[in-house]
PDB file of all heavy atoms in Angstrom:
ATOM      1  N   LEU A   1      -4.829  -0.645   2.373  1.00 96.00           N
ATOM      2  CA  LEU A   1      -3.569  -0.500   1.662  1.00 96.00           C
ATOM      3  C   LEU A   1      -2.715   0.596   2.286  1.00 96.00           C
ATOM      4  O   LEU A   1      -3.193   1.691   2.572  1.00 96.00           O
ATOM      5  CB  LEU A   1      -3.847  -0.170   0.196  1.00 96.00           C
ATOM      6  CG  LEU A   1      -2.647  -0.007  -0.732  1.00 96.00           C
ATOM      7  CD1 LEU A   1      -1.885  -1.316  -0.876  1.00 96.00           C
ATOM      8  CD2 LEU A   1      -3.119   0.479  -2.105  1.00 96.00           C
ATOM      9  N   GLY A   2      -1.442   0.283   2.467  1.00 96.00           N
ATOM     10  CA  GLY A   2      -0.508   1.268   2.982  1.00 96.00           C
ATOM     11  C   GLY A   2       0.866   1.088   2.362  1.00 96.00           C
ATOM     12  O   GLY A   2       1.108   0.137   1.607  1.00 96.00           O
ATOM     13  N   VAL A   3       1.766   2.004   2.681  1.00 96.00           N
ATOM     14  CA  VAL A   3       3.145   1.929   2.232  1.00 96.00           C
ATOM     15  C   VAL A   3       4.040   1.904   3.459  1.00 96.00           C
ATOM     16  O   VAL A   3       3.928   2.761   4.347  1.00 96.00           O
ATOM     17  CB  VAL A   3       3.511   3.119   1.332  1.00 96.00           C
ATOM     18  CG1 VAL A   3       4.985   3.067   0.940  1.00 96.00           C
ATOM     19  CG2 VAL A   3       2.648   3.124   0.082  1.00 96.00           C
ATOM     20  N   LEU A   4       4.919   0.904   3.520  1.00 97.00           N
ATOM     21  CA  LEU A   4       5.785   0.702   4.662  1.00 97.00           C
ATOM     22  C   LEU A   4       7.241   0.935   4.264  1.00 97.00           C
ATOM     23  O   LEU A   4       7.722   0.344   3.285  1.00 97.00           O
ATOM     24  CB  LEU A   4       5.613  -0.724   5.200  1.00 97.00           C
ATOM     25  CG  LEU A   4       6.575  -1.164   6.304  1.00 97.00           C
ATOM     26  CD1 LEU A   4       6.363  -0.335   7.568  1.00 97.00           C
ATOM     27  CD2 LEU A   4       6.381  -2.655   6.603  1.00 97.00           C
ATOM     28  N   ASP A   5       7.905   1.779   5.022  1.00 97.00           N
ATOM     29  CA  ASP A   5       9.352   1.960   4.858  1.00 97.00           C
ATOM     30  C   ASP A   5      10.027   0.914   5.735  1.00 97.00           C
ATOM     31  O   ASP A   5       9.961   1.005   6.966  1.00 97.00           O
ATOM     32  CB  ASP A   5       9.758   3.361   5.301  1.00 97.00           C
ATOM     33  CG  ASP A   5      11.241   3.648   5.090  1.00 97.00           C
ATOM     34  OD1 ASP A   5      12.042   2.684   5.084  1.00 97.00           O
ATOM     35  OD2 ASP A   5      11.606   4.823   4.954  1.00 97.00           O
ATOM     36  N   PRO A   6      10.677  -0.100   5.135  1.00 97.00           N
ATOM     37  CA  PRO A   6      11.227  -1.187   5.950  1.00 97.00           C
ATOM     38  C   PRO A   6      12.399  -0.750   6.827  1.00 97.00           C
ATOM     39  O   PRO A   6      12.738  -1.454   7.779  1.00 97.00           O
ATOM     40  CB  PRO A   6      11.672  -2.216   4.904  1.00 97.00           C
ATOM     41  CG  PRO A   6      11.910  -1.440   3.669  1.00 97.00           C
ATOM     42  CD  PRO A   6      10.935  -0.313   3.698  1.00 97.00           C
ATOM     43  N   GLU A   7      13.011   0.380   6.544  1.00 95.00           N
ATOM     44  CA  GLU A   7      14.141   0.841   7.357  1.00 95.00           C
ATOM     45  C   GLU A   7      13.654   1.560   8.618  1.00 95.00           C
ATOM     46  O   GLU A   7      14.124   1.300   9.712  1.00 95.00           O
ATOM     47  CB  GLU A   7      15.038   1.760   6.529  1.00 95.00           C
ATOM     48  CG  GLU A   7      15.647   1.089   5.309  1.00 95.00           C
ATOM     49  CD  GLU A   7      16.412  -0.171   5.660  1.00 95.00           C
ATOM     50  OE1 GLU A   7      17.117  -0.190   6.696  1.00 95.00           O
ATOM     51  OE2 GLU A   7      16.309  -1.163   4.901  1.00 95.00           O
ATOM     52  N   SER A   8      12.700   2.461   8.461  1.00 96.00           N
ATOM     53  CA  SER A   8      12.218   3.241   9.599  1.00 96.00           C
ATOM     54  C   SER A   8      11.021   2.609  10.293  1.00 96.00           C
ATOM     55  O   SER A   8      10.726   2.946  11.443  1.00 96.00           O
ATOM     56  CB  SER A   8      11.838   4.647   9.143  1.00 96.00           C
ATOM     57  OG  SER A   8      10.700   4.600   8.277  1.00 96.00           O
ATOM     58  N   GLY A   9      10.311   1.711   9.604  1.00 96.00           N
ATOM     59  CA  GLY A   9       9.091   1.134  10.158  1.00 96.00           C
ATOM     60  C   GLY A   9       7.879   2.022  10.017  1.00 96.00           C
ATOM     61  O   GLY A   9       6.798   1.697  10.520  1.00 96.00           O
ATOM     62  N   THR A  10       8.013   3.140   9.315  1.00 96.00           N
ATOM     63  CA  THR A  10       6.894   4.061   9.123  1.00 96.00           C
ATOM     64  C   THR A  10       5.873   3.460   8.162  1.00 96.00           C
ATOM     65  O   THR A  10       6.216   3.057   7.042  1.00 96.00           O
ATOM     66  CB  THR A  10       7.378   5.400   8.568  1.00 96.00           C
ATOM     67  OG1 THR A  10       8.318   5.969   9.481  1.00 96.00           O
ATOM     68  CG2 THR A  10       6.207   6.359   8.368  1.00 96.00           C
ATOM     69  N   LEU A  11       4.637   3.420   8.597  1.00 97.00           N
ATOM     70  CA  LEU A  11       3.542   2.877   7.793  1.00 97.00           C
ATOM     71  C   LEU A  11       2.532   3.980   7.528  1.00 97.00           C
ATOM     72  O   LEU A  11       1.989   4.582   8.465  1.00 97.00           O
ATOM     73  CB  LEU A  11       2.866   1.712   8.515  1.00 97.00           C
ATOM     74  CG  LEU A  11       1.617   1.114   7.872  1.00 97.00           C
ATOM     75  CD1 LEU A  11       1.918   0.569   6.491  1.00 97.00           C
ATOM     76  CD2 LEU A  11       1.039   0.014   8.767  1.00 97.00           C
ATOM     77  N   THR A  12       2.300   4.272   6.264  1.00 95.00           N
ATOM     78  CA  THR A  12       1.378   5.338   5.866  1.00 95.00           C
ATOM     79  C   THR A  12       0.251   4.751   5.046  1.00 95.00           C
ATOM     80  O   THR A  12       0.487   4.112   4.019  1.00 95.00           O
ATOM     81  CB  THR A  12       2.104   6.407   5.040  1.00 95.00           C
ATOM     82  OG1 THR A  12       3.230   6.885   5.775  1.00 95.00           O
ATOM     83  CG2 THR A  12       1.173   7.557   4.721  1.00 95.00           C
ATOM     84  N   ASP A  13      -0.978   4.935   5.509  1.00 94.00           N
ATOM     85  CA  ASP A  13      -2.136   4.429   4.772  1.00 94.00           C
ATOM     86  C   ASP A  13      -2.417   5.289   3.552  1.00 94.00           C
ATOM     87  O   ASP A  13      -2.193   6.506   3.559  1.00 94.00           O
ATOM     88  CB  ASP A  13      -3.374   4.404   5.656  1.00 94.00           C
ATOM     89  CG  ASP A  13      -3.353   3.241   6.638  1.00 94.00           C
ATOM     90  OD1 ASP A  13      -2.596   2.287   6.395  1.00 94.00           O
ATOM     91  OD2 ASP A  13      -4.087   3.301   7.640  1.00 94.00           O
ATOM     92  N   LEU A  14      -2.937   4.667   2.513  1.00 92.00           N
ATOM     93  CA  LEU A  14      -3.328   5.360   1.297  1.00 92.00           C
ATOM     94  C   LEU A  14      -4.844   5.481   1.238  1.00 92.00           C
ATOM     95  O   LEU A  14      -5.558   4.498   1.465  1.00 92.00           O
ATOM     96  CB  LEU A  14      -2.823   4.607   0.068  1.00 92.00           C
ATOM     97  CG  LEU A  14      -1.306   4.476  -0.067  1.00 92.00           C
ATOM     98  CD1 LEU A  14      -0.964   3.590  -1.257  1.00 92.00           C
ATOM     99  CD2 LEU A  14      -0.660   5.842  -0.214  1.00 92.00           C
ATOM    100  N   GLU A  15      -5.317   6.672   0.923  1.00 89.00           N
ATOM    101  CA  GLU A  15      -6.750   6.854   0.764  1.00 89.00           C
ATOM    102  C   GLU A  15      -7.149   6.350  -0.619  1.00 89.00           C
ATOM    103  O   GLU A  15      -6.691   6.866  -1.636  1.00 89.00           O
ATOM    104  CB  GLU A  15      -7.112   8.332   0.919  1.00 89.00           C
ATOM    105  CG  GLU A  15      -6.893   8.876   2.318  1.00 89.00           C
ATOM    106  CD  GLU A  15      -7.261  10.342   2.438  1.00 89.00           C
ATOM    107  OE1 GLU A  15      -7.696  10.908   1.412  1.00 89.00           O
ATOM    108  OE2 GLU A  15      -7.119  10.911   3.530  1.00 89.00           O
ATOM    109  N   THR A  16      -7.995   5.359  -0.647  1.00 88.00           N
ATOM    110  CA  THR A  16      -8.505   4.807  -1.899  1.00 88.00           C
ATOM    111  C   THR A  16     -10.015   4.672  -1.773  1.00 88.00           C
ATOM    112  O   THR A  16     -10.571   4.824  -0.681  1.00 88.00           O
ATOM    113  CB  THR A  16      -7.877   3.426  -2.188  1.00 88.00           C
ATOM    114  OG1 THR A  16      -8.459   2.452  -1.305  1.00 88.00           O
ATOM    115  CG2 THR A  16      -6.368   3.447  -2.012  1.00 88.00           C
ATOM    116  N   PRO A  17     -10.702   4.357  -2.859  1.00 87.00           N
ATOM    117  CA  PRO A  17     -12.153   4.201  -2.768  1.00 87.00           C
ATOM    118  C   PRO A  17     -12.579   2.884  -2.120  1.00 87.00           C
ATOM    119  O   PRO A  17     -13.768   2.601  -2.056  1.00 87.00           O
ATOM    120  CB  PRO A  17     -12.598   4.221  -4.242  1.00 87.00           C
ATOM    121  CG  PRO A  17     -11.423   4.679  -5.018  1.00 87.00           C
ATOM    122  CD  PRO A  17     -10.223   4.306  -4.244  1.00 87.00           C
ATOM    123  N   PHE A  18     -11.630   2.094  -1.618  1.00 91.00           N
ATOM    124  CA  PHE A  18     -11.938   0.739  -1.185  1.00 91.00           C
ATOM    125  C   PHE A  18     -11.827   0.591   0.330  1.00 91.00           C
ATOM    126  O   PHE A  18     -10.955   1.177   0.970  1.00 91.00           O
ATOM    127  CB  PHE A  18     -11.007  -0.253  -1.869  1.00 91.00           C
ATOM    128  CG  PHE A  18     -10.981  -0.116  -3.371  1.00 91.00           C
ATOM    129  CD1 PHE A  18      -9.860   0.356  -4.025  1.00 91.00           C
ATOM    130  CD2 PHE A  18     -12.104  -0.432  -4.123  1.00 91.00           C
ATOM    131  CE1 PHE A  18      -9.844   0.501  -5.399  1.00 91.00           C
ATOM    132  CE2 PHE A  18     -12.108  -0.293  -5.492  1.00 91.00           C
ATOM    133  CZ  PHE A  18     -10.972   0.181  -6.143  1.00 91.00           C
ATOM    134  N   SER A  19     -12.704  -0.248   0.876  1.00 92.00           N
ATOM    135  CA  SER A  19     -12.647  -0.540   2.304  1.00 92.00           C
ATOM    136  C   SER A  19     -11.748  -1.734   2.600  1.00 92.00           C
ATOM    137  O   SER A  19     -11.355  -1.946   3.751  1.00 92.00           O
ATOM    138  CB  SER A  19     -14.056  -0.847   2.838  1.00 92.00           C
ATOM    139  OG  SER A  19     -14.624  -1.963   2.170  1.00 92.00           O
ATOM    140  N   GLY A  20     -11.434  -2.521   1.589  1.00 94.00           N
ATOM    141  CA  GLY A  20     -10.569  -3.679   1.781  1.00 94.00           C
ATOM    142  C   GLY A  20      -9.991  -4.149   0.463  1.00 94.00           C
ATOM    143  O   GLY A  20     -10.433  -3.736  -0.618  1.00 94.00           O
ATOM    144  N   TRP A  21      -8.982  -5.014   0.568  1.00 96.00           N
ATOM    145  CA  TRP A  21      -8.272  -5.532  -0.600  1.00 96.00           C
ATOM    146  C   TRP A  21      -8.033  -7.024  -0.431  1.00 96.00           C
ATOM    147  O   TRP A  21      -7.826  -7.512   0.687  1.00 96.00           O
ATOM    148  CB  TRP A  21      -6.911  -4.843  -0.762  1.00 96.00           C
ATOM    149  CG  TRP A  21      -6.972  -3.381  -1.045  1.00 96.00           C
ATOM    150  CD1 TRP A  21      -7.289  -2.382  -0.170  1.00 96.00           C
ATOM    151  CD2 TRP A  21      -6.697  -2.741  -2.305  1.00 96.00           C
ATOM    152  NE1 TRP A  21      -7.236  -1.154  -0.791  1.00 96.00           N
ATOM    153  CE2 TRP A  21      -6.869  -1.353  -2.102  1.00 96.00           C
ATOM    154  CE3 TRP A  21      -6.312  -3.201  -3.555  1.00 96.00           C
ATOM    155  CZ2 TRP A  21      -6.676  -0.421  -3.126  1.00 96.00           C
ATOM    156  CZ3 TRP A  21      -6.108  -2.276  -4.570  1.00 96.00           C
ATOM    157  CH2 TRP A  21      -6.305  -0.911  -4.358  1.00 96.00           C
ATOM    158  N   ASP A  22      -8.034  -7.753  -1.557  1.00 95.00           N
ATOM    159  CA  ASP A  22      -7.602  -9.145  -1.529  1.00 95.00           C
ATOM    160  C   ASP A  22      -6.117  -9.217  -1.209  1.00 95.00           C
ATOM    161  O   ASP A  22      -5.352  -8.306  -1.572  1.00 95.00           O
ATOM    162  CB  ASP A  22      -7.832  -9.813  -2.897  1.00 95.00           C
ATOM    163  CG  ASP A  22      -9.292 -10.145  -3.144  1.00 95.00           C
ATOM    164  OD1 ASP A  22     -10.124  -9.886  -2.253  1.00 95.00           O
ATOM    165  OD2 ASP A  22      -9.592 -10.653  -4.234  1.00 95.00           O
ATOM    166  N   ALA A  23      -5.716 -10.303  -0.566  1.00 96.00           N
ATOM    167  CA  ALA A  23      -4.312 -10.472  -0.184  1.00 96.00           C
ATOM    168  C   ALA A  23      -3.498 -10.975  -1.375  1.00 96.00           C
ATOM    169  O   ALA A  23      -2.917 -12.062  -1.352  1.00 96.00           O
ATOM    170  CB  ALA A  23      -4.189 -11.417   0.998  1.00 96.00           C
ATOM    171  N   ALA A  24      -3.473 -10.176  -2.435  1.00 96.00           N
ATOM    172  CA  ALA A  24      -2.724 -10.518  -3.649  1.00 96.00           C
ATOM    173  C   ALA A  24      -2.331  -9.229  -4.355  1.00 96.00           C
ATOM    174  O   ALA A  24      -3.082  -8.713  -5.179  1.00 96.00           O
ATOM    175  CB  ALA A  24      -3.550 -11.413  -4.566  1.00 96.00           C
ATOM    176  N   LEU A  25      -1.168  -8.686  -3.999  1.00 97.00           N
ATOM    177  CA  LEU A  25      -0.682  -7.443  -4.578  1.00 97.00           C
ATOM    178  C   LEU A  25       0.436  -7.712  -5.569  1.00 97.00           C
ATOM    179  O   LEU A  25       1.157  -8.710  -5.463  1.00 97.00           O
ATOM    180  CB  LEU A  25      -0.164  -6.509  -3.477  1.00 97.00           C
ATOM    181  CG  LEU A  25      -1.166  -5.995  -2.448  1.00 97.00           C
ATOM    182  CD1 LEU A  25      -0.465  -5.073  -1.461  1.00 97.00           C
ATOM    183  CD2 LEU A  25      -2.338  -5.271  -3.115  1.00 97.00           C
ATOM    184  N   THR A  26       0.616  -6.803  -6.518  1.00 97.00           N
ATOM    185  CA  THR A  26       1.683  -6.888  -7.500  1.00 97.00           C
ATOM    186  C   THR A  26       2.197  -5.481  -7.763  1.00 97.00           C
ATOM    187  O   THR A  26       1.403  -4.543  -7.903  1.00 97.00           O
ATOM    188  CB  THR A  26       1.195  -7.559  -8.796  1.00 97.00           C
ATOM    189  OG1 THR A  26       2.239  -7.534  -9.774  1.00 97.00           O
ATOM    190  CG2 THR A  26      -0.034  -6.889  -9.347  1.00 97.00           C
ATOM    191  N   ALA A  27       3.520  -5.313  -7.784  1.00 96.00           N
ATOM    192  CA  ALA A  27       4.122  -3.988  -7.958  1.00 96.00           C
ATOM    193  C   ALA A  27       4.737  -3.855  -9.336  1.00 96.00           C
ATOM    194  O   ALA A  27       5.222  -4.819  -9.930  1.00 96.00           O
ATOM    195  CB  ALA A  27       5.187  -3.748  -6.888  1.00 96.00           C
ATOM    196  N   ASP A  28       4.721  -2.620  -9.833  1.00 95.00           N
ATOM    197  CA  ASP A  28       5.358  -2.278 -11.110  1.00 95.00           C
ATOM    198  C   ASP A  28       5.997  -0.913 -10.925  1.00 95.00           C
ATOM    199  O   ASP A  28       5.328   0.113 -11.065  1.00 95.00           O
ATOM    200  CB  ASP A  28       4.317  -2.267 -12.226  1.00 95.00           C
ATOM    201  CG  ASP A  28       4.914  -2.014 -13.609  1.00 95.00           C
ATOM    202  OD1 ASP A  28       6.153  -2.097 -13.734  1.00 95.00           O
ATOM    203  OD2 ASP A  28       4.149  -1.737 -14.551  1.00 95.00           O
ATOM    204  N   GLY A  29       7.285  -0.899 -10.562  1.00 94.00           N
ATOM    205  CA  GLY A  29       7.945   0.360 -10.250  1.00 94.00           C
ATOM    206  C   GLY A  29       7.394   0.942  -8.963  1.00 94.00           C
ATOM    207  O   GLY A  29       7.419   0.295  -7.917  1.00 94.00           O
ATOM    208  N   THR A  30       6.862   2.152  -9.020  1.00 91.00           N
ATOM    209  CA  THR A  30       6.270   2.770  -7.839  1.00 91.00           C
ATOM    210  C   THR A  30       4.751   2.730  -7.867  1.00 91.00           C
ATOM    211  O   THR A  30       4.083   3.540  -7.223  1.00 91.00           O
ATOM    212  CB  THR A  30       6.742   4.229  -7.707  1.00 91.00           C
ATOM    213  OG1 THR A  30       6.414   4.940  -8.898  1.00 91.00           O
ATOM    214  CG2 THR A  30       8.239   4.295  -7.441  1.00 91.00           C
ATOM    215  N   SER A  31       4.192   1.796  -8.593  1.00 92.00           N
ATOM    216  CA  SER A  31       2.742   1.588  -8.567  1.00 92.00           C
ATOM    217  C   SER A  31       2.453   0.198  -8.041  1.00 92.00           C
ATOM    218  O   SER A  31       3.269  -0.723  -8.148  1.00 92.00           O
ATOM    219  CB  SER A  31       2.126   1.773  -9.956  1.00 92.00           C
ATOM    220  OG  SER A  31       2.502   0.718 -10.810  1.00 92.00           O
ATOM    221  N   VAL A  32       1.270   0.031  -7.470  1.00 94.00           N
ATOM    222  CA  VAL A  32       0.848  -1.260  -6.945  1.00 94.00           C
ATOM    223  C   VAL A  32      -0.536  -1.559  -7.489  1.00 94.00           C
ATOM    224  O   VAL A  32      -1.382  -0.661  -7.612  1.00 94.00           O
ATOM    225  CB  VAL A  32       0.852  -1.278  -5.406  1.00 94.00           C
ATOM    226  CG1 VAL A  32      -0.094  -0.246  -4.821  1.00 94.00           C
ATOM    227  CG2 VAL A  32       0.493  -2.668  -4.881  1.00 94.00           C
TER     228      VAL A  32
END
C-alpha cells in the first residue's frame, strides 16, 4: 500500500502490518 500524488508522481509507501493487499480498495475521506 502506498499514496501517490498524481500531480508530482511521488509515491510513498505506508508501513502497515501487512505484506500484501487484495486488489480492492475503498476510500473514505483521507482513509483507505
Side-chain angles (χ1 to χ4, degrees):
L1 181 64
V3 177
L4 173 65
D5 183 334
E7 299 305 320
S8 67
T10 301
L11 174 60
T12 305
D13 284 341
L14 297 175
E15 294 180 0
T16 74
F18 307 111
S19 60
W21 296 73
D22 284 359
L25 296 181
T26 175
D28 184 13
T30 57
S31 70
V32 60

